[in-house]
Amino acid sequence: MHEKIAFSTLLWYNKKKLKLQQGENEMGIYLNPENVDFQKSLNSEIYIDKTELISYTNKKLNTEQGYICVSRPRRFGKSMAANMLTAYYSRGCDSRELFQGLKIATHPNFEKHLNQYNVIHLNMRDYLTESENMKQLIQFVEDDLLDELQQEFSDLRMPRRKTLVKVLEQAFAQYKIPFVFIIDEWDCIFRVHKSDSASQKEYLDFLRNLLKDKSYIALAYMTGILPIKKYGEHSAINVFYEYSMTDASPIEEFTGFTEQEVRQLCEQYNMPFSETKKWYDGYCVDGVSIYNPKSVVEAMLRGKFSNYWTQTETYEALKIYIQSNEFGVQDVILKLLAGEKEKIDTTTFSNDMVTFATKDDVLTLLVHLGYLTYNAETKEIWIPNDEVMEQFISTVKVMGWGSVVTALETSEKLLQATLSGDEQTVAELIEQAHQANASILKYNDENALSCVISLAYYSAQKNYTLHREMPARKGFADIVFEPNRNCNLPALIVELKWGHSAEEALEQIKRKDYLDCLQNYHGEVFLVGINYDKEKHHTCKIERVFL
């Protein structure tokens, strides 16, 4: 709070304090709301303490960096964080006891900023549902806030022009207490009205006029799925510092559940951590391993692993972005289904759901939606975990990618044929998959076969970690299937040849010491040599060795 407070402010503050003590205060809905929503999070059976985010926002108060936009996929804790910040900053409640025992209570500035600000908390999804157009949405927001401002500050000297901005400016000038804006689902307009650029610009103009360069703002915190839309002169809204699924540093630990937090939950609920990791991990946010919070909580409470996150939305959300192969998106999806990674450029993405100039734009959107994950250091994407992989498989089946579906459905048969040493069946199944899918793929021959084989061995991903071009002593093994921990299946090393022989492929594995790439493995190893000719006739040789 400011050290010097005007006399009228002091009177107003004492009245508010007295009403709080007597339980008579009329809490606002949007202005200085209660802490009941955050209390519900604390009451839940599973609550992960993310209150140290407040320590970060406290450092940004009343600075040029006090404009924060956090974008994450749905059900990744955005609203919980917004409710937490509201409970901490809002003058409409006393949250001291609420935060006792939580991490933020140990920080030296905890008391300094606790319930000291005029908080305006808006959920734009609510206004979008109620309004028929953008003009009406903006009018509803202004009307609701003006009503509550006049109720809250009964002795406020109203400006001649009673616009929302003018009233906020007068309230700050008179009481010297700044505002904290918390806007949840700020981007829902761009997700629902994907192609309505006129309404989108009108909305951005409203936000810019309300928030940019306003002395009454101590902090503006917005949450959404998409980063801020890039719109020429409207980029002035980019006063916000963005923290997204492609660049969340330094608050990446608040993007979802961390590995340590999930380990503790697994111990508490007697759930296997390795299986939890396989199902829900995989979001690589600036080097930090992040888990899907919604799904982890459901798995712990229900005591079983399933597809919880994607059940809240139909396959249409994914289908719409991969059904067209205009930019070669389907080719990349096939590689990702095969367990591979793909480099992309995220910088050209326009931060909306309709403006795509390259396949990278489409794939970047899928990262923000949570269907893919992105490593900022390597600039690679991949399908993060089993839960999301199931959604991709379901979508592909509905879309009628028959050749892909066939390869996936016969993958278990192929794995069993390999482990039983049935060379002829292995060659036949790989030949079927190669002939069916090579027309879709646009890579050179060896890479095409590599991708097809990875896809054909899809079921192996349940028990194996797949490595492409794995470094060994004298080269790189084409494909290595390394058994997961606590798995009793043998390892597989697959070498591919074109226009030679399966025997030569097998000999290369031995000659170049590819077994060296399995330094942490001891047990049986299947050496698999595969060759195909110009007519795409495939042959296979399998040999067993022991490490």
Side-chain angles (χ1 to χ4, degrees):
M1 190 187 303
H2 292 257
E3 293 182 3
K4 295 182 178 179
I5 304 177
F7 181 68
S8 61
T9 304
L10 187 60
L11 288 177
W12 173 80
Y13 175 68
N14 288 334
K15 289 178 183 178
K16 291 284 293 182
K17 186 175 179 181
L18 180 62
K19 286 184 178 181
L20 276 171
Q21 292 172 345
Q22 297 175 345
E24 298 176 359
N25 190 43
E26 293 183 5
M27 307 303 176
I29 299 173
Y30 311 104
L31 173 62
N32 291 333
E34 253 281 19
N35 53 25
V36 61
D37 290 328
F38 183 55
Q39 180 70 68
K40 289 179 180 178
S41 296
L42 295 177
N43 292 343
S44 300
E45 182 173 337
I46 293 179
Y47 168 74
I48 299 297
D49 188 348
K50 297 290 184 178
T51 57
E52 286 188 319
L53 173 63
I54 299 172
S55 176
Y56 182 79
T57 57
N58 280 345
K59 294 176 184 177
K60 307 303 178 182
L61 286 165
N62 295 303
T63 71
E64 292 183 357
Q65 291 74 44
Y67 295 84
I68 297 171
C69 182
V70 178
S71 56
R72 316 175 198 167
R74 57 191 172 80
R75 309 309 298 271
F76 263 66
K78 297 187 296 296
S79 295
M80 189 282 292
N83 293 334
M84 175 184 72
L85 294 174
T86 297
Y88 177 77
Y89 289 118
S90 174
R91 299 175 65 88
C93 55
D94 183 352
S95 299
R96 184 171 280 98
E97 291 186 10
L98 204 64
F99 285 97
Q100 290 302 320
L102 299 179
K103 294 176 182 178
I104 186 60
T106 65
H107 286 250
N109 288 332
F110 169 65
E111 294 278 353
K112 178 180 179 181
H113 300 293
L114 178 65
N115 301 132
Q116 298 298 310
Y117 294 85
N118 289 316
V119 170
I120 290 178
H121 184 181
L122 303 171
N123 187 319
M124 300 311 297
R125 168 70 71 172
D126 295 339
Y127 283 101
L128 183 64
T129 302
E130 295 173 359
S131 56
E132 297 180 359
N133 52 57
M134 187 53 56
K135 185 177 293 294
Q136 190 177 65
L137 181 149
I138 293 171
Q139 190 64 55
F140 285 168
V141 173
E142 292 183 339
D143 288 347
D144 286 345
L145 292 182
L146 285 171
D147 284 347
E148 293 203 2
L149 284 164
Q150 292 181 76
Q151 293 174 15
E152 179 78 4
F153 308 113
S154 57
D155 57 346
L156 179 65
R157 295 188 300 273
M158 281 292 173
R160 181 171 299 178
R161 289 189 294 122
K162 296 182 181 62
T163 66
L164 176 57
V165 170
K166 289 295 182 183
V167 172
L168 289 168
E169 289 174 339
Q170 179 60 38
F172 176 62
Q174 187 169 329
Y175 299 110
K176 298 295 187 280
I177 301 173
F179 288 80
V180 169
F181 274 79
I182 299 173
I183 304 178
D184 201 8
E185 297 221 47
W186 84 273
D187 66 329
C188 61
I189 286 86
F190 300 93
R191 290 183 277 123
V192 174
H193 299 297
K194 301 182 180 74
S195 302
D196 189 352
S197 59
S199 292
Q200 293 172 10
K201 290 180 180 180
E202 186 177 3
Y203 175 63
L204 284 178
D205 283 339
F206 166 70
L207 290 180
R208 179 174 57 177
N209 185 49
L210 179 65
L211 304 175
K212 181 174 168 55
D213 299 329
K214 296 298 187 289
S215 57
Y216 54 73
I217 289 183
L219 177 75
Y221 182 94
M222 301 199 308
T223 75
I225 292 177
L226 297 175
I228 291 174
K229 170 66 182 167
K230 301 172 183 176
Y231 258 141
E233 63 177 292
H234 292 76
S235 295
I237 195 70
N238 283 349
V239 65
F240 280 85
Y241 288 78
E242 298 189 66
Y243 306 88
S244 70
M245 295 300 283
T246 60
D247 186 6
S249 178
I251 60 172
E252 55 271 353
E253 65 181 284
F254 307 116
T255 305
F257 287 176
T258 65
E259 190 154 294
Q260 181 181 359
E261 291 165 347
V262 174
R263 282 185 182 275
Q264 292 172 348
L265 285 175
C266 287
E267 292 177 6
Q268 180 181 349
Y269 287 87
N270 195 29
M271 293 287 283
F273 171 73
S274 59
E275 191 71 5
T276 305
K277 182 178 181 67
K278 189 167 175 289
W279 268 91
Y280 308 121
D281 186 19
Y283 292 98
C284 180
V285 185
D286 285 310
V288 177
S289 186
I290 293 297
Y291 290 68
N292 184 322
K294 158 72 175 176
S295 300
V296 170
V297 167
E298 289 282 353
M300 297 300 115
L301 295 180
R302 295 172 182 258
K304 64 179 181 179
F305 300 104
S306 185
N307 191 326
Y308 298 114
W309 176 64
T310 57
Q311 283 180 357
T312 62
E313 187 170 290
T314 67
Y315 75 93
E316 291 290 343
L318 180 58
K319 176 186 174 184
I320 191 172
Y321 297 110
I322 67 174
Q323 62 185 350
S324 172
N325 200 30
E326 181 180 357
F327 304 113
V329 172
Q330 289 183 8
D331 298 344
V332 178
I333 296 301
L334 283 177
K335 289 181 66 177
L336 301 179
L337 287 172
E340 300 183 27
K341 298 180 179 181
E342 175 83 357
K343 283 185 178 293
I344 66 168
D345 178 7
T346 63
T347 61
T348 62
F349 182 51
S350 296
N351 297 351
D352 65 25
M353 305 183 81
V354 294
T355 309
F356 306 121
T358 68
K359 65 176 173 51
D360 289 356
D361 293 340
V362 180
L363 297 168
T364 301
L365 173 61
L366 294 182
V367 172
H368 289 296
L369 294 177
Y371 289 110
L372 298 174
T373 190
Y374 174 75
N375 186 315
E377 183 176 341
T378 64
K379 303 189 183 307
E380 291 178 318
I381 56 167
W382 64 94
I383 297 175
N385 51 47
D386 284 2
E387 180 177 47
V388 181
M389 179 66 82
E390 276 196 0
Q391 183 67 27
F392 269 96
I393 298 301
S394 298
T395 303
V396 164
K397 288 181 178 178
V398 173
M399 289 172 59
W401 290 10
S403 57
V404 178
V405 174
T406 300
L408 295 174
E409 291 176 344
T410 60
S411 62
E412 185 63 37
K413 182 179 179 181
L414 174 61
L415 178 61
Q416 293 305 317
T418 305
L419 296 177
S420 63
D422 186 348
E423 298 169 340
Q424 182 176 348
T425 299
V426 170
E428 290 175 353
L429 290 175
I430 289 178
E431 184 171 314
Q432 291 173 15
H434 195 185
Q435 290 178 345
N437 291 291
S439 60
I440 300 176
L441 299 167
K442 301 295 189 296
Y443 318 115
N444 64 52
D445 290 335
E446 186 174 338
N447 282 336
L449 179 58
S450 236
C451 181
V452 167
I453 287 179
S454 299
L455 192 65
Y457 277 102
Y458 169 75
S459 66
Q461 296 181 33
K462 298 176 184 177
N463 297 300
Y464 290 90
T465 299
L466 183 150
H467 303 278
R468 281 282 310 275
E469 298 294 327
M470 193 172 185
R473 186 174 302 173
K474 298 178 182 178
F476 296 85
D478 284 340
I479 307 175
V480 177
F481 294 87
E482 184 177 14
N484 295 331
R485 187 176 298 180
N486 301 323
C487 173
N488 296 321
L489 294 174
L492 307 175
I493 298 179
V494 181
E495 183 63 24
L496 312 174
K497 285 293 182 183
W498 177 76
H500 293 271
S501 68
E503 289 82 1
E504 288 181 71
L506 210 58
E507 181 58 31
Q508 181 170 318
I509 297 176
K510 302 173 187 176
R511 186 177 71 255
K512 294 193 174 183
D513 294 330
Y514 287 165
L515 286 167
D516 181 64
C517 67
L518 291 169
Q519 293 181 358
N520 298 322
Y521 172 79
H522 299 283
E524 189 176 20
V525 183
F526 277 59
L527 311 182
V528 183
I530 297 172
N531 180 71
Y532 73 107
D533 54 30
K534 293 180 180 180
E535 285 71 37
K536 294 183 181 175
H537 174 67
H538 295 62
T539 56
C540 174
K541 286 293 180 182
I542 300 175
E543 186 175 320
R544 303 181 187 186
V545 298
F546 289 87
L547 283 177

